PDB file of all heavy atoms in Angstrom:
ATOM      1  N   PHE P 338     109.363 118.455  74.902  1.00  0.00           N
ATOM      2  CA  PHE P 338     108.444 119.581  74.710  1.00  0.00           C
ATOM      3  C   PHE P 338     107.003 119.087  74.711  1.00  0.00           C
ATOM      4  O   PHE P 338     106.721 117.980  74.261  1.00  0.00           O
ATOM      5  CB  PHE P 338     108.711 120.268  73.365  1.00  0.00           C
ATOM      6  CG  PHE P 338     110.062 120.908  73.266  1.00  0.00           C
ATOM      7  CD1 PHE P 338     111.125 120.212  72.694  1.00  0.00           C
ATOM      8  CD2 PHE P 338     110.286 122.191  73.725  1.00  0.00           C
ATOM      9  CE1 PHE P 338     112.376 120.788  72.584  1.00  0.00           C
ATOM     10  CE2 PHE P 338     111.533 122.778  73.621  1.00  0.00           C
ATOM     11  CZ  PHE P 338     112.586 122.072  73.056  1.00  0.00           C
ATOM     12  N   GLU P 339     106.118 119.946  75.184  1.00  0.00           N
ATOM     13  CA  GLU P 339     104.681 119.688  75.066  1.00  0.00           C
ATOM     14  C   GLU P 339     104.007 120.957  74.571  1.00  0.00           C
ATOM     15  O   GLU P 339     104.388 122.062  75.011  1.00  0.00           O
ATOM     16  CB  GLU P 339     104.083 119.278  76.418  1.00  0.00           C
ATOM     17  CG  GLU P 339     104.488 117.884  76.853  1.00  0.00           C
ATOM     18  CD  GLU P 339     103.833 117.468  78.173  1.00  0.00           C
ATOM     19  OE1 GLU P 339     102.968 118.229  78.674  1.00  0.00           O
ATOM     20  OE2 GLU P 339     104.204 116.400  78.678  1.00  0.00           O
ATOM     21  N   PRO P 340     103.044 120.853  73.681  1.00  0.00           N
ATOM     22  CA  PRO P 340     102.358 122.061  73.211  1.00  0.00           C
ATOM     23  C   PRO P 340     101.491 122.672  74.310  1.00  0.00           C
ATOM     24  O   PRO P 340     101.077 121.984  75.245  1.00  0.00           O
ATOM     25  CB  PRO P 340     101.501 121.553  72.054  1.00  0.00           C
ATOM     26  CG  PRO P 340     101.305 120.095  72.323  1.00  0.00           C
ATOM     27  CD  PRO P 340     102.531 119.626  73.052  1.00  0.00           C
ATOM     28  N   VAL P 341     101.230 123.946  74.181  1.00  0.00           N
ATOM     29  CA  VAL P 341     100.359 124.644  75.134  1.00  0.00           C
ATOM     30  C   VAL P 341      99.013 124.878  74.440  1.00  0.00           C
ATOM     31  O   VAL P 341      98.974 125.490  73.370  1.00  0.00           O
ATOM     32  CB  VAL P 341     100.968 125.999  75.549  1.00  0.00           C
ATOM     33  CG1 VAL P 341     100.048 126.719  76.536  1.00  0.00           C
ATOM     34  CG2 VAL P 341     102.346 125.783  76.157  1.00  0.00           C
ATOM     35  N   PRO P 342      97.940 124.378  75.004  1.00  0.00           N
ATOM     36  CA  PRO P 342      96.628 124.548  74.363  1.00  0.00           C
ATOM     37  C   PRO P 342      96.326 126.020  74.072  1.00  0.00           C
ATOM     38  O   PRO P 342      96.542 126.885  74.922  1.00  0.00           O
ATOM     39  CB  PRO P 342      95.648 123.982  75.396  1.00  0.00           C
ATOM     40  CG  PRO P 342      96.469 123.053  76.233  1.00  0.00           C
ATOM     41  CD  PRO P 342      97.843 123.631  76.267  1.00  0.00           C
ATOM     42  N   GLU P 343      95.846 126.270  72.880  1.00  0.00           N
ATOM     43  CA  GLU P 343      95.428 127.613  72.430  1.00  0.00           C
ATOM     44  C   GLU P 343      96.584 128.603  72.358  1.00  0.00           C
ATOM     45  O   GLU P 343      96.360 129.805  72.244  1.00  0.00           O
ATOM     46  CB  GLU P 343      94.314 128.159  73.336  1.00  0.00           C
ATOM     47  CG  GLU P 343      93.073 127.276  73.334  1.00  0.00           C
ATOM     48  CD  GLU P 343      92.013 127.784  74.286  1.00  0.00           C
ATOM     49  OE1 GLU P 343      92.096 128.944  74.711  1.00  0.00           O
ATOM     50  OE2 GLU P 343      91.101 127.002  74.581  1.00  0.00           O
ATOM     51  N   GLN P 344      97.801 128.143  72.471  1.00  0.00           N
ATOM     52  CA  GLN P 344      98.971 129.029  72.330  1.00  0.00           C
ATOM     53  C   GLN P 344      99.933 128.379  71.323  1.00  0.00           C
ATOM     54  O   GLN P 344     100.919 127.748  71.712  1.00  0.00           O
ATOM     55  CB  GLN P 344      99.671 129.230  73.683  1.00  0.00           C
ATOM     56  CG  GLN P 344      98.828 129.865  74.759  1.00  0.00           C
ATOM     57  CD  GLN P 344      98.529 131.331  74.475  1.00  0.00           C
ATOM     58  OE1 GLN P 344      99.275 132.003  73.768  1.00  0.00           O
ATOM     59  NE2 GLN P 344      97.421 131.818  75.005  1.00  0.00           N
ATOM     60  N   PRO P 345      99.634 128.503  70.047  1.00  0.00           N
ATOM     61  CA  PRO P 345     100.408 127.748  69.059  1.00  0.00           C
ATOM     62  C   PRO P 345     101.883 128.139  68.987  1.00  0.00           C
ATOM     63  O   PRO P 345     102.684 127.361  68.471  1.00  0.00           O
ATOM     64  CB  PRO P 345      99.698 128.069  67.741  1.00  0.00           C
ATOM     65  CG  PRO P 345      98.921 129.309  68.002  1.00  0.00           C
ATOM     66  CD  PRO P 345      98.560 129.289  69.439  1.00  0.00           C
ATOM     67  N   ARG P 346     102.239 129.312  69.482  1.00  0.00           N
ATOM     68  CA  ARG P 346     103.649 129.700  69.413  1.00  0.00           C
ATOM     69  C   ARG P 346     104.426 129.259  70.654  1.00  0.00           C
ATOM     70  O   ARG P 346     105.617 129.519  70.757  1.00  0.00           O
ATOM     71  CB  ARG P 346     103.779 131.230  69.272  1.00  0.00           C
ATOM     72  CG  ARG P 346     103.022 131.871  68.135  1.00  0.00           C
ATOM     73  CD  ARG P 346     103.452 131.390  66.793  1.00  0.00           C
ATOM     74  NE  ARG P 346     104.885 131.537  66.501  1.00  0.00           N
ATOM     75  CZ  ARG P 346     105.436 131.183  65.360  1.00  0.00           C
ATOM     76  NH1 ARG P 346     104.697 130.639  64.398  1.00  0.00           N
ATOM     77  NH2 ARG P 346     106.733 131.334  65.156  1.00  0.00           N
ATOM     78  N   GLN P 347     103.729 128.677  71.608  1.00  0.00           N
ATOM     79  CA  GLN P 347     104.381 128.311  72.876  1.00  0.00           C
ATOM     80  C   GLN P 347     104.483 126.803  73.051  1.00  0.00           C
ATOM     81  O   GLN P 347     103.629 126.044  72.586  1.00  0.00           O
ATOM     82  CB  GLN P 347     103.589 128.868  74.064  1.00  0.00           C
ATOM     83  CG  GLN P 347     103.745 130.352  74.283  1.00  0.00           C
ATOM     84  CD  GLN P 347     103.178 130.772  75.621  1.00  0.00           C
ATOM     85  OE1 GLN P 347     102.389 130.065  76.235  1.00  0.00           O
ATOM     86  NE2 GLN P 347     103.577 131.949  76.085  1.00  0.00           N
ATOM     87  N   HIS P 348     105.535 126.397  73.754  1.00  0.00           N
ATOM     88  CA  HIS P 348     105.670 125.013  74.192  1.00  0.00           C
ATOM     89  C   HIS P 348     106.148 125.012  75.640  1.00  0.00           C
ATOM     90  O   HIS P 348     106.785 125.959  76.096  1.00  0.00           O
ATOM     91  CB  HIS P 348     106.699 124.269  73.337  1.00  0.00           C
ATOM     92  CG  HIS P 348     106.222 123.976  71.944  1.00  0.00           C
ATOM     93  ND1 HIS P 348     106.288 124.907  70.927  1.00  0.00           N
ATOM     94  CD2 HIS P 348     105.657 122.869  71.401  1.00  0.00           C
ATOM     95  CE1 HIS P 348     105.789 124.390  69.824  1.00  0.00           C
ATOM     96  NE2 HIS P 348     105.392 123.160  70.079  1.00  0.00           N
ATOM     97  N   ARG P 349     105.843 123.934  76.295  1.00  0.00           N
ATOM     98  CA  ARG P 349     106.443 123.726  77.614  1.00  0.00           C
ATOM     99  C   ARG P 349     107.682 122.857  77.428  1.00  0.00           C
ATOM    100  O   ARG P 349     107.615 121.796  76.808  1.00  0.00           O
ATOM    101  CB  ARG P 349     105.472 123.013  78.563  1.00  0.00           C
ATOM    102  CG  ARG P 349     104.352 123.889  79.067  1.00  0.00           C
ATOM    103  CD  ARG P 349     103.631 123.202  80.251  1.00  0.00           C
ATOM    104  NE  ARG P 349     102.551 124.038  80.744  1.00  0.00           N
ATOM    105  CZ  ARG P 349     101.288 123.943  80.339  1.00  0.00           C
ATOM    106  NH1 ARG P 349     100.958 123.029  79.435  1.00  0.00           N
ATOM    107  NH2 ARG P 349     100.359 124.736  80.820  1.00  0.00           N
ATOM    108  N   LEU P 350     108.788 123.304  77.960  1.00  0.00           N
ATOM    109  CA  LEU P 350     110.015 122.506  77.962  1.00  0.00           C
ATOM    110  C   LEU P 350     110.162 121.882  79.346  1.00  0.00           C
ATOM    111  O   LEU P 350     110.290 122.600  80.347  1.00  0.00           O
ATOM    112  CB  LEU P 350     111.228 123.387  77.652  1.00  0.00           C
ATOM    113  CG  LEU P 350     112.590 122.726  77.904  1.00  0.00           C
ATOM    114  CD1 LEU P 350     112.824 121.557  76.947  1.00  0.00           C
ATOM    115  CD2 LEU P 350     113.720 123.748  77.788  1.00  0.00           C
ATOM    116  N   PHE P 351     110.107 120.553  79.388  1.00  0.00           N
ATOM    117  CA  PHE P 351     110.247 119.827  80.660  1.00  0.00           C
ATOM    118  C   PHE P 351     111.660 119.272  80.793  1.00  0.00           C
ATOM    119  O   PHE P 351     112.347 119.026  79.793  1.00  0.00           O
ATOM    120  CB  PHE P 351     109.259 118.656  80.720  1.00  0.00           C
ATOM    121  CG  PHE P 351     107.835 119.069  80.935  1.00  0.00           C
ATOM    122  CD1 PHE P 351     107.035 119.439  79.856  1.00  0.00           C
ATOM    123  CD2 PHE P 351     107.287 119.086  82.211  1.00  0.00           C
ATOM    124  CE1 PHE P 351     105.708 119.810  80.044  1.00  0.00           C
ATOM    125  CE2 PHE P 351     105.966 119.463  82.401  1.00  0.00           C
ATOM    126  CZ  PHE P 351     105.181 119.836  81.327  1.00  0.00           C
TER     127      PHE P 351
END
Side-chain angles (χ1 to χ4, degrees):
Chain P
F338 296 95
E339 288 183 7
V341 180
E343 300 177 16
Q344 299 290 335
R346 306 299 304 181
Q347 285 192 342
H348 288 83
R349 286 193 180 93
L350 168 66
F351 287 85

